[in-house]
Amino acid sequence: MLVLFADSDSDITKQNAKELGLKLISMPYSIDGQEVYPYETWDEFDYKPFYAKLRNGTIPKTSGLSPEKYMSYFEPEFQAGNDILYIHFSAAMSGTFNSMHIAIEELQDKYPDRKVYLIDAKGITINSYFTVKKVVEKYREGLSAEELVAYGTELAEHVATYFFTDTLDFFKHSGRISNFSAIMGGLIGIKPIIYMSQEGVMTSVSKAKGRSGAVKKLVDYAVELGDHVKDWPVIIGHSDNIELATQVGNLMKEKFGQDLEIEYVMVNPTAGSHCGPDGIGLCFHAIHR
């Protein structure tokens, strides 16, 4: 039997995982001196107080998992005679995957007949959420593990995500954005537009004036790069600003038709620790990222 895994950095909630038939790996963060494992420390993300703390100046920290923690997720499946397919957020964004590979090597020495298949979504939050959902769809259609890896790997190259946030303070502390220093000058009223690159890292790609300009800029990228947008998921993520996310959605419907189906997703707290509150992202199927 093949057992599918995803992680909480992909905006997959405990309820999502149950509906999709996934096992969920929790990616931790620390806030107010407490280490938190989403959907293990608690069952549901209470996002209002979390993002309120961030608005009041709290900057959480994130950390990777130990090899032992990965083993605690994977070994029960090996013991049960199952293979594993893990669709994970971008390997280029975290050292946690070094620990994962250590755990996999140790487990495969112990269980030589078992296999682990990996799909790197080359993104985080709604970007990897998109890939996870489509891979699950193909799994339910009966594709083999090898076919799923080939499908997911190819798909990831066409999942475009563009986003902006109200402040770069959280990104400054995390150091997660490529060419960060190049976008720091003269930012009064200016919103840098960031995207998930082909390498799977967050990179500043352009700038917009104010929130309304940034909203328009996100949709402009969808119009320019979109590939059969209406035939694929359109996902809008936000870190506690549904009003602004809805503005993006409304403009997308003006461009692509009022029957465009859009899913609105709350950015998970671990990723939210890096982007801060009031971040808005748009994810769509594209000719390229």
Side-chain angles (χ1 to χ4, degrees), residues 225-273:
L225 298 175
D227 180 30
H228 296 90
V229 171
K230 294 179 74 171
D231 296 332
W232 294 83
V234 173
I235 304 167
I236 298 175
H238 66 98
S239 47
D240 192 27
N241 196 328
I242 187 60
E243 292 82 7
L244 195 56
T246 303
Q247 289 182 32
V248 177
N250 289 341
L251 188 53
M252 282 291 289
K253 289 190 174 186
E254 287 181 19
K255 298 294 185 180
F256 292 97
Q258 293 301 313
D259 58 342
L260 179 69
E261 294 186 9
I262 298 173
E263 183 176 1
Y264 294 90
V265 174
M266 181 63 62
V267 173
N268 70 83
T270 312
S273 298

Short mmCIF file of all heavy atoms in Angstrom, two decimals, residues 225-273:
data_model
loop_
_atom_site.label_atom_id
_atom_site.label_comp_id
_atom_site.label_asym_id
_atom_site.label_seq_id
_atom_site.Cartn_x
_atom_site.Cartn_y
_atom_site.Cartn_z
N LEU A 225 0.74 35.06 -17.78
CA LEU A 225 1.37 33.73 -17.73
C LEU A 225 0.38 32.58 -17.66
O LEU A 225 0.77 31.42 -17.83
CB LEU A 225 2.30 33.64 -16.50
CG LEU A 225 3.47 34.61 -16.46
CD1 LEU A 225 4.20 34.48 -15.13
CD2 LEU A 225 4.43 34.36 -17.62
N GLY A 226 -0.87 32.87 -17.41
CA GLY A 226 -1.85 31.82 -17.18
C GLY A 226 -2.00 30.86 -18.36
O GLY A 226 -1.98 31.27 -19.52
N ASP A 227 -2.15 29.58 -18.03
CA ASP A 227 -2.32 28.54 -19.04
C ASP A 227 -3.57 27.74 -18.69
O ASP A 227 -3.58 26.98 -17.72
CB ASP A 227 -1.09 27.63 -19.06
CG ASP A 227 -1.20 26.52 -20.09
OD1 ASP A 227 -1.86 26.73 -21.12
OD2 ASP A 227 -0.62 25.44 -19.84
N HIS A 228 -4.65 27.92 -19.47
CA HIS A 228 -5.92 27.26 -19.19
C HIS A 228 -6.30 27.43 -17.72
O HIS A 228 -6.62 26.46 -17.01
CB HIS A 228 -5.84 25.77 -19.55
CG HIS A 228 -5.62 25.52 -21.02
ND1 HIS A 228 -4.37 25.42 -21.58
CD2 HIS A 228 -6.50 25.36 -22.03
CE1 HIS A 228 -4.47 25.20 -22.88
NE2 HIS A 228 -5.76 25.17 -23.18
N VAL A 229 -6.28 28.67 -17.27
CA VAL A 229 -6.46 28.98 -15.85
C VAL A 229 -7.76 28.39 -15.29
O VAL A 229 -7.78 27.86 -14.18
CB VAL A 229 -6.42 30.52 -15.64
CG1 VAL A 229 -6.85 30.88 -14.22
CG2 VAL A 229 -5.02 31.05 -15.93
N LYS A 230 -8.82 28.45 -16.07
CA LYS A 230 -10.12 27.99 -15.57
C LYS A 230 -10.23 26.48 -15.44
O LYS A 230 -11.14 25.97 -14.79
CB LYS A 230 -11.24 28.53 -16.46
CG LYS A 230 -11.39 30.04 -16.41
CD LYS A 230 -12.49 30.55 -17.31
CE LYS A 230 -13.85 30.28 -16.75
NZ LYS A 230 -14.92 30.96 -17.52
N ASP A 231 -9.31 25.76 -16.06
CA ASP A 231 -9.34 24.30 -15.99
C ASP A 231 -8.57 23.76 -14.80
O ASP A 231 -8.52 22.54 -14.60
CB ASP A 231 -8.77 23.70 -17.28
CG ASP A 231 -9.61 24.05 -18.50
OD1 ASP A 231 -10.82 24.26 -18.34
OD2 ASP A 231 -9.03 24.13 -19.61
N TRP A 232 -7.95 24.64 -14.04
CA TRP A 232 -7.11 24.24 -12.93
C TRP A 232 -7.53 25.00 -11.66
O TRP A 232 -8.27 25.98 -11.75
CB TRP A 232 -5.64 24.56 -13.24
CG TRP A 232 -5.08 23.76 -14.37
CD1 TRP A 232 -5.22 24.02 -15.71
CD2 TRP A 232 -4.30 22.57 -14.28
NE1 TRP A 232 -4.57 23.06 -16.46
CE2 TRP A 232 -3.99 22.16 -15.60
CE3 TRP A 232 -3.82 21.81 -13.22
CZ2 TRP A 232 -3.24 21.03 -15.88
CZ3 TRP A 232 -3.06 20.68 -13.49
CH2 TRP A 232 -2.77 20.31 -14.81
N PRO A 233 -7.05 24.57 -10.51
CA PRO A 233 -7.38 25.33 -9.29
C PRO A 233 -6.83 26.76 -9.36
O PRO A 233 -5.73 26.99 -9.91
CB PRO A 233 -6.67 24.55 -8.18
CG PRO A 233 -6.49 23.17 -8.73
CD PRO A 233 -6.28 23.35 -10.21
N VAL A 234 -7.58 27.69 -8.86
CA VAL A 234 -7.10 29.05 -8.61
C VAL A 234 -7.20 29.25 -7.11
O VAL A 234 -8.28 29.14 -6.52
CB VAL A 234 -7.94 30.12 -9.35
CG1 VAL A 234 -7.51 31.52 -8.92
CG2 VAL A 234 -7.79 29.95 -10.86
N ILE A 235 -6.08 29.51 -6.48
CA ILE A 235 -6.03 29.57 -5.03
C ILE A 235 -5.50 30.93 -4.60
O ILE A 235 -4.47 31.40 -5.11
CB ILE A 235 -5.14 28.45 -4.45
CG1 ILE A 235 -5.63 27.09 -4.95
CG2 ILE A 235 -5.14 28.49 -2.93
CD1 ILE A 235 -4.67 25.95 -4.70
N ILE A 236 -6.21 31.56 -3.69
CA ILE A 236 -5.78 32.84 -3.13
C ILE A 236 -5.53 32.63 -1.64
O ILE A 236 -6.43 32.22 -0.90
CB ILE A 236 -6.82 33.94 -3.37
CG1 ILE A 236 -7.00 34.16 -4.87
CG2 ILE A 236 -6.39 35.24 -2.67
CD1 ILE A 236 -8.09 35.14 -5.23
N GLY A 237 -4.30 32.86 -1.23
CA GLY A 237 -3.94 32.72 0.17
C GLY A 237 -3.84 34.08 0.84
O GLY A 237 -3.50 35.08 0.19
N HIS A 238 -4.12 34.12 2.12
CA HIS A 238 -3.98 35.38 2.85
C HIS A 238 -3.62 35.10 4.30
O HIS A 238 -3.98 34.06 4.86
CB HIS A 238 -5.27 36.21 2.77
CG HIS A 238 -6.45 35.58 3.47
ND1 HIS A 238 -6.83 35.95 4.75
CD2 HIS A 238 -7.30 34.61 3.09
CE1 HIS A 238 -7.89 35.23 5.11
NE2 HIS A 238 -8.20 34.41 4.12
N SER A 239 -2.88 36.03 4.89
CA SER A 239 -2.54 35.92 6.30
C SER A 239 -3.41 36.91 7.07
O SER A 239 -2.98 37.99 7.45
CB SER A 239 -1.04 36.14 6.55
OG SER A 239 -0.56 37.29 5.87
N ASP A 240 -4.68 36.52 7.22
CA ASP A 240 -5.70 37.26 7.96
C ASP A 240 -6.08 38.59 7.32
O ASP A 240 -6.09 39.64 7.97
CB ASP A 240 -5.25 37.49 9.41
CG ASP A 240 -6.40 37.99 10.30
OD1 ASP A 240 -7.56 37.69 9.97
OD2 ASP A 240 -6.12 38.69 11.30
N ASN A 241 -6.43 38.54 6.03
CA ASN A 241 -7.00 39.71 5.37
C ASN A 241 -7.89 39.22 4.23
O ASN A 241 -7.54 39.34 3.06
CB ASN A 241 -5.91 40.66 4.86
CG ASN A 241 -6.48 42.03 4.52
OD1 ASN A 241 -7.63 42.14 4.11
ND2 ASN A 241 -5.68 43.07 4.71
N ILE A 242 -9.04 38.66 4.59
CA ILE A 242 -9.94 38.11 3.58
C ILE A 242 -10.50 39.20 2.68
O ILE A 242 -10.79 38.95 1.50
CB ILE A 242 -11.09 37.30 4.25
CG1 ILE A 242 -11.92 36.58 3.19
CG2 ILE A 242 -11.93 38.18 5.14
CD1 ILE A 242 -11.17 35.59 2.34
N GLU A 243 -10.63 40.42 3.19
CA GLU A 243 -11.17 41.50 2.37
C GLU A 243 -10.25 41.79 1.18
O GLU A 243 -10.70 41.92 0.04
CB GLU A 243 -11.34 42.78 3.21
CG GLU A 243 -12.42 42.68 4.29
CD GLU A 243 -11.93 41.99 5.56
OE1 GLU A 243 -10.70 41.69 5.65
OE2 GLU A 243 -12.76 41.73 6.45
N LEU A 244 -8.96 41.87 1.46
CA LEU A 244 -8.01 42.13 0.38
C LEU A 244 -7.90 40.92 -0.55
O LEU A 244 -7.80 41.07 -1.77
CB LEU A 244 -6.64 42.49 0.97
CG LEU A 244 -5.62 43.13 0.02
CD1 LEU A 244 -6.19 44.39 -0.62
CD2 LEU A 244 -4.34 43.46 0.78
N ALA A 245 -7.95 39.73 0.02
CA ALA A 245 -7.93 38.51 -0.81
C ALA A 245 -9.12 38.48 -1.75
O ALA A 245 -9.01 38.09 -2.92
CB ALA A 245 -7.93 37.28 0.09
N THR A 246 -10.28 38.92 -1.26
CA THR A 246 -11.49 38.95 -2.09
C THR A 246 -11.35 39.96 -3.23
O THR A 246 -11.89 39.74 -4.32
CB THR A 246 -12.71 39.27 -1.22
OG1 THR A 246 -12.82 38.30 -0.18
CG2 THR A 246 -13.99 39.24 -2.04
N GLN A 247 -10.65 41.05 -2.98
CA GLN A 247 -10.40 42.00 -4.07
C GLN A 247 -9.63 41.34 -5.20
O GLN A 247 -9.93 41.55 -6.38
CB GLN A 247 -9.61 43.20 -3.54
CG GLN A 247 -10.40 44.13 -2.63
CD GLN A 247 -9.57 45.33 -2.19
OE1 GLN A 247 -8.70 45.81 -2.93
NE2 GLN A 247 -9.81 45.81 -0.99
N VAL A 248 -8.64 40.53 -4.85
CA VAL A 248 -7.90 39.80 -5.87
C VAL A 248 -8.84 38.85 -6.62
O VAL A 248 -8.82 38.76 -7.84
CB VAL A 248 -6.73 39.02 -5.25
CG1 VAL A 248 -6.00 38.19 -6.32
CG2 VAL A 248 -5.74 39.96 -4.57
N GLY A 249 -9.68 38.15 -5.84
CA GLY A 249 -10.62 37.21 -6.45
C GLY A 249 -11.59 37.88 -7.39
O GLY A 249 -11.88 37.38 -8.48
N ASN A 250 -12.11 39.02 -6.98
CA ASN A 250 -13.07 39.74 -7.83
C ASN A 250 -12.41 40.20 -9.13
O ASN A 250 -13.03 40.14 -10.20
CB ASN A 250 -13.63 40.94 -7.07
CG ASN A 250 -14.57 40.53 -5.94
OD1 ASN A 250 -15.08 39.41 -5.93
ND2 ASN A 250 -14.79 41.42 -4.99
N LEU A 251 -11.17 40.67 -9.03
CA LEU A 251 -10.48 41.12 -10.23
C LEU A 251 -10.15 39.93 -11.14
O LEU A 251 -10.22 40.04 -12.37
CB LEU A 251 -9.20 41.87 -9.85
CG LEU A 251 -8.45 42.58 -10.99
CD1 LEU A 251 -9.38 43.50 -11.76
CD2 LEU A 251 -7.26 43.36 -10.43
N MET A 252 -9.82 38.79 -10.55
CA MET A 252 -9.60 37.58 -11.35
C MET A 252 -10.86 37.20 -12.12
O MET A 252 -10.80 36.80 -13.29
CB MET A 252 -9.16 36.42 -10.45
CG MET A 252 -7.71 36.47 -10.02
SD MET A 252 -6.54 36.18 -11.38
CE MET A 252 -6.80 34.42 -11.69
N LYS A 253 -12.01 37.32 -11.48
CA LYS A 253 -13.26 36.99 -12.15
C LYS A 253 -13.59 37.98 -13.26
O LYS A 253 -14.17 37.62 -14.29
CB LYS A 253 -14.40 36.93 -11.13
CG LYS A 253 -14.30 35.72 -10.22
CD LYS A 253 -15.54 35.54 -9.37
CE LYS A 253 -15.46 34.25 -8.57
NZ LYS A 253 -16.69 33.94 -7.82
N GLU A 254 -13.20 39.24 -13.08
CA GLU A 254 -13.39 40.22 -14.16
C GLU A 254 -12.56 39.83 -15.39
O GLU A 254 -13.00 40.02 -16.52
CB GLU A 254 -12.97 41.61 -13.68
CG GLU A 254 -13.93 42.27 -12.71
CD GLU A 254 -13.47 43.66 -12.31
OE1 GLU A 254 -12.62 44.24 -13.03
OE2 GLU A 254 -13.93 44.16 -11.26
N LYS A 255 -11.37 39.28 -15.15
CA LYS A 255 -10.47 38.95 -16.24
C LYS A 255 -10.79 37.59 -16.88
O LYS A 255 -10.64 37.43 -18.09
CB LYS A 255 -9.02 38.93 -15.74
CG LYS A 255 -8.52 40.27 -15.23
CD LYS A 255 -8.42 41.31 -16.33
CE LYS A 255 -7.81 42.59 -15.80
NZ LYS A 255 -7.70 43.62 -16.88
N PHE A 256 -11.21 36.62 -16.05
CA PHE A 256 -11.35 35.25 -16.55
C PHE A 256 -12.80 34.76 -16.58
O PHE A 256 -13.05 33.64 -17.03
CB PHE A 256 -10.50 34.30 -15.70
CG PHE A 256 -9.02 34.49 -15.87
CD1 PHE A 256 -8.31 35.26 -14.97
CD2 PHE A 256 -8.35 33.92 -16.93
CE1 PHE A 256 -6.93 35.46 -15.12
CE2 PHE A 256 -6.98 34.10 -17.09
CZ PHE A 256 -6.28 34.88 -16.19
N GLY A 257 -13.72 35.55 -16.09
CA GLY A 257 -15.13 35.15 -16.10
C GLY A 257 -15.67 34.96 -14.70
O GLY A 257 -14.97 34.49 -13.80
N GLN A 258 -16.94 35.31 -14.52
CA GLN A 258 -17.55 35.24 -13.21
C GLN A 258 -17.72 33.81 -12.71
O GLN A 258 -17.95 33.58 -11.52
CB GLN A 258 -18.91 35.95 -13.22
CG GLN A 258 -18.82 37.45 -13.43
CD GLN A 258 -17.99 38.15 -12.37
OE1 GLN A 258 -18.18 37.90 -11.17
NE2 GLN A 258 -17.09 39.02 -12.78
N ASP A 259 -17.62 32.83 -13.61
CA ASP A 259 -17.75 31.44 -13.21
C ASP A 259 -16.41 30.83 -12.78
O ASP A 259 -16.33 29.63 -12.49
CB ASP A 259 -18.35 30.60 -14.33
CG ASP A 259 -17.53 30.66 -15.63
OD1 ASP A 259 -16.71 31.59 -15.78
OD2 ASP A 259 -17.71 29.77 -16.48
N LEU A 260 -15.36 31.65 -12.73
CA LEU A 260 -14.06 31.17 -12.27
C LEU A 260 -14.17 30.69 -10.82
O LEU A 260 -14.64 31.41 -9.95
CB LEU A 260 -13.02 32.29 -12.37
CG LEU A 260 -11.60 31.95 -11.91
CD1 LEU A 260 -10.95 30.96 -12.86
CD2 LEU A 260 -10.75 33.23 -11.79
N GLU A 261 -13.73 29.46 -10.59
CA GLU A 261 -13.78 28.90 -9.23
C GLU A 261 -12.50 29.24 -8.49
O GLU A 261 -11.40 28.96 -8.97
CB GLU A 261 -13.99 27.39 -9.29
CG GLU A 261 -15.35 27.00 -9.85
CD GLU A 261 -15.60 25.50 -9.77
OE1 GLU A 261 -14.79 24.80 -9.12
OE2 GLU A 261 -16.58 25.04 -10.36
N ILE A 262 -12.67 29.82 -7.31
CA ILE A 262 -11.53 30.28 -6.51
C ILE A 262 -11.63 29.68 -5.12
O ILE A 262 -12.71 29.65 -4.51
CB ILE A 262 -11.50 31.81 -6.41
CG1 ILE A 262 -11.33 32.44 -7.80
CG2 ILE A 262 -10.38 32.27 -5.48
CD1 ILE A 262 -11.47 33.94 -7.82
N GLU A 263 -10.51 29.19 -4.60
CA GLU A 263 -10.45 28.71 -3.23
C GLU A 263 -9.61 29.68 -2.42
O GLU A 263 -8.48 30.01 -2.80
CB GLU A 263 -9.85 27.30 -3.17
CG GLU A 263 -9.85 26.73 -1.77
CD GLU A 263 -9.34 25.30 -1.71
OE1 GLU A 263 -8.98 24.75 -2.76
OE2 GLU A 263 -9.32 24.74 -0.60
N TYR A 264 -10.16 30.13 -1.30
CA TYR A 264 -9.45 31.03 -0.40
C TYR A 264 -8.87 30.22 0.75
O TYR A 264 -9.58 29.42 1.37
CB TYR A 264 -10.38 32.12 0.14
CG TYR A 264 -10.86 33.08 -0.94
CD1 TYR A 264 -12.04 32.82 -1.66
CD2 TYR A 264 -10.14 34.22 -1.26
CE1 TYR A 264 -12.48 33.67 -2.65
CE2 TYR A 264 -10.57 35.09 -2.27
CZ TYR A 264 -11.74 34.81 -2.95
OH TYR A 264 -12.16 35.66 -3.94
N VAL A 265 -7.58 30.42 1.01
CA VAL A 265 -6.87 29.60 1.97
C VAL A 265 -6.14 30.50 2.98
O VAL A 265 -5.51 31.49 2.59
CB VAL A 265 -5.85 28.68 1.26
CG1 VAL A 265 -4.99 27.93 2.25
CG2 VAL A 265 -6.58 27.69 0.34
N MET A 266 -6.21 30.14 4.27
CA MET A 266 -5.47 30.85 5.30
C MET A 266 -4.02 30.37 5.32
O MET A 266 -3.76 29.17 5.35
CB MET A 266 -6.10 30.61 6.67
CG MET A 266 -5.40 31.32 7.82
SD MET A 266 -5.46 33.12 7.69
CE MET A 266 -7.25 33.37 7.74
N VAL A 267 -3.08 31.30 5.28
CA VAL A 267 -1.66 30.94 5.35
C VAL A 267 -1.36 30.33 6.72
O VAL A 267 -1.73 30.88 7.76
CB VAL A 267 -0.78 32.17 5.11
CG1 VAL A 267 0.70 31.85 5.35
CG2 VAL A 267 -0.98 32.70 3.69
N ASN A 268 -0.70 29.20 6.71
CA ASN A 268 -0.40 28.49 7.95
C ASN A 268 0.53 29.32 8.85
O ASN A 268 1.27 30.18 8.36
CB ASN A 268 0.21 27.12 7.63
CG ASN A 268 1.60 27.23 7.05
OD1 ASN A 268 2.58 27.36 7.79
ND2 ASN A 268 1.71 27.21 5.72
N PRO A 269 0.54 29.06 10.15
CA PRO A 269 1.31 29.91 11.07
C PRO A 269 2.82 29.82 10.90
O PRO A 269 3.52 30.80 11.17
CB PRO A 269 0.89 29.41 12.45
CG PRO A 269 0.41 28.01 12.23
CD PRO A 269 -0.23 28.03 10.88
N THR A 270 3.34 28.68 10.47
CA THR A 270 4.79 28.56 10.31
C THR A 270 5.25 29.45 9.16
O THR A 270 6.21 30.21 9.30
CB THR A 270 5.17 27.10 10.06
OG1 THR A 270 4.53 26.27 11.03
CG2 THR A 270 6.68 26.92 10.16
N ALA A 271 4.57 29.38 8.02
CA ALA A 271 4.89 30.28 6.90
C ALA A 271 4.51 31.71 7.24
O ALA A 271 5.21 32.66 6.86
CB ALA A 271 4.17 29.82 5.64
N GLY A 272 3.41 31.88 7.98
CA GLY A 272 3.00 33.21 8.40
C GLY A 272 4.01 33.89 9.28
O GLY A 272 4.09 35.12 9.34
N SER A 273 4.82 33.10 9.98
CA SER A 273 5.89 33.67 10.80
C SER A 273 6.93 34.39 9.95
O SER A 273 7.63 35.28 10.43
CB SER A 273 6.58 32.55 11.60
OG SER A 273 5.68 31.91 12.47
#
